[in-house]
């Protein structure tokens, strides 16, 4: 019995297949990201674990007006996001599974090539770029809003008829545009993600019919692109108005557009990021796995010749264009901060092309199916490592913070009045390297003054006043032994300095 025959025995009812698809995708999410359900701390989690007020201006300056509204509502209800992450994370899993299921179902409609839907959906679900976003427990409320609004956008967008007059479906157009605008206001990565979803579905719809009419069919779907354009313009309008009203002292470079000179200087860094995504790999996706994914995409794109003679060339060009579109918001931001959690659209781009390639013909070859399954397994492992490394780092940080406080209590009393200033080493505080460490992921909370007070509070239940080290302390620690040596702890004035 071949693979396609086995799949064909599954009930053909669309609802039954979609429920089965949803269950598989949800299982893949839990298998790859289930560790996020356990309590954990990214740097911002330490910062907001005790109080969560006064963040609205920061969110507004970053262009996240939806997140600012959520923070205002949470404060009014007396809720801290780090305390209610579990419920919101569970709902995020369900919403994300639904979003993936609707997407891959639209790419391979009418129950054809169910294996393609399952493997494509599984690949998106286990992809590690979304995993890092879930690692921020304090942001899970916003993540739920970001994903939930994308679900609303997709549901409204799928109901838009490319041939019907605008006057007959303006409500769906408006709902889709507003939902996407609010989703971008929660997290700007919503725009390139929505772009990948829409463009791939439009591409697939344009392939139905004679090859000679592909361009005409593609151009004829211009009405379906209006919500993307409308949401982009509406977001720019709202964000611009908010920035005009913000105090001059308030601002975040990530919410601004970089200047022309800065963009020109940043071009090599953008090229490096694209190389990491395509073949070079990173701490979130190994080079071997990146090359395997690239080869898998080549095979899937070549299989699209069964959809039309021009389909492979168009799909390849679309892949490169949409990949650049995913990176573009990072490239244009006032501050270069290439974190992979800002690229969840890449998962939908890769998973969507795999779904199209596998579903391009009635019988996907067994070797290709097994290859995609190996990639899914590898990406799931990368996602697990990200969250497992976070758990290890939290444990190391809290043990070290508790030992340090015990040492200070022995020397200065159980309730010492002095402030504490920690001078971190020039390299990582912990000797054991974390393979998934990059940017602000895998950084010890003891490394930065901003987060040390929250770390002490979560590790010991004590409120310790922490101040940044001055130049004298930094110079002293360059020649001093490191803690736990006795010489590493000094008292100067009303501050206890510790050379970590």
């Amino acid at each position: 019995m071949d693979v396609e025959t086995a799949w064909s025995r599954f009930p053909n009812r669309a609802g039954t297949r979609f429920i089965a698809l949803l269950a598989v995708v949800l299982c893949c999410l839990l298998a790859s990201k289930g560790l996020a359900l356990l309590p954990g701390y990214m740097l911002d989690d330490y910062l907001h674990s005790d109080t969560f007020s006064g963040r609205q201006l920061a969110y507004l300056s970053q262009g996240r007006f939806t997140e600012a509204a959520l923070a205002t509502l949470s404060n009014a209800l007396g809720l801290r996001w780090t305390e209610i992450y579990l419920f919101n994370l569970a709902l995020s899993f369900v919403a994300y599974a639904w979003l993936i299921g609707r997407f891959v179902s639209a790419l391979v409609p009418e129950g054809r090539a169910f294996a393609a839907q399952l493997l494509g959906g599984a690949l998106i679900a286990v992809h590690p770029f979304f995993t890092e976003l879930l690692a921020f427990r304090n942001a899970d409320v916003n993540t739920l809003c970001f994903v939930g609004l994308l679900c609303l956008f997709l549901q409204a967008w799928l109901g838009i008829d490319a041939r019907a007059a605008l006057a007959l479906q303006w409500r769906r157009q408006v709902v889709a545009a507003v939902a996407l605008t609010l989703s971008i206001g929660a997290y700007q990565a919503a725009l390139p993600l929505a772009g990948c979803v829409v463009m791939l579905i439009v591409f697939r719809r344009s392939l139905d019919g004679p090859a000679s009419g592909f361009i005409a069919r593609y151009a004829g779907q211009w009405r379906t692109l209006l919500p993307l354009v409308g949401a982009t313009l509406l977001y720019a309008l709202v964000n611009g108005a908010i920035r005009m009203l913000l105090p001059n002292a308030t601002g975040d470079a990530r919410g601004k557009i970089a200047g022309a000179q800065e963009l020109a200087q940043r071009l090599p860094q953008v090229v490096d990021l694209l190389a990491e995504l395509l073949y070079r790999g990173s701490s979130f996706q190994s080079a071997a796995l990146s090359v395997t994914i690239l080869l898998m995409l080549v095979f899937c794109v070549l299989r699209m010749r069964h959809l039309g003679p021009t389909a492979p060339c168009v799909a390849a060009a679309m892949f490169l264009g949409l990949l650049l579109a995913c990176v573009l918001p990072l490239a244009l931001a006032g501050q270069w901060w290439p974190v992979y959690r800002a690229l969840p659209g890449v998962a939908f781009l890769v998973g969507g092309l795999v779904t199209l390639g596998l579903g391009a013909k009635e019988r996907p070859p067994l070797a290709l199916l097994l290859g995609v399954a190996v990639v899914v397994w590898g990406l799931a492992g990368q996602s697990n490592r990200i969250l497992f490394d976070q758990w290890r780092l939290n444990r190391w940080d809290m043990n070290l913070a508790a030992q340090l406080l015990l040492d200070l209590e022995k020397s200065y009393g159980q309730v010492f009045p002095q402030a504490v200033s920690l001078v971190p080493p020039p390299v990582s505080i912990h000797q054991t390297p974390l393979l998934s460490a990059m940017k602000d992921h895998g950084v010890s909370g003891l490394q930065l003054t901003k987060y040390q007070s929250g770390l002490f509070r979560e590790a010991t239940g004590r409120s310790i006043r922490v101040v940044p080290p001055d130049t004298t302390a930094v110079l002293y620690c360059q020649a001093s032994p490191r803690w736990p040596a006795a010489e590493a702890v000094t008292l100067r004035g009303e501050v206890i300095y510790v050379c970590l």
Side-chain angles (χ1 to χ4, degrees), residues 408-431:
L408 295 180
E409 288 177 345
K410 290 179 180 177
S411 301
Y412 301 99
Q414 188 171 7
V415 185
F416 51 86
Q418 297 90 347
V420 174
S421 181
L422 306 181
V423 184
V427 294
S428 177
I429 289 178
H430 305 293
Q431 296 179 359

Side-chain angles (χ1 to χ4, degrees), residues 153-168:
F153 158 77
L154 183 58
Q155 180 65 22
W157 183 85
L158 288 173
I160 296 175
D161 187 348
R163 296 165 296 182
L166 290 177
L168 300 177

Side-chain angles (χ1 to χ4, degrees), residues 46-59:
Y46 288 125
L47 193 63
H48 306 311
S49 59
D50 183 55
T51 180
F52 192 72
S53 59
R55 290 290 300 169
Q56 289 87 338
L57 286 179
Y59 293 143

Side-chain angles (χ1 to χ4, degrees), residues 45 67 81-82 85 133 136-144:
D45 294 316
E67 188 170 16
W81 287 0
T82 50
Y85 82 91
L133 188 61
F136 286 80
R137 306 306 196 278
N138 73 91
D140 283 335
V141 177
N142 190 58
T143 300
L144 173 60

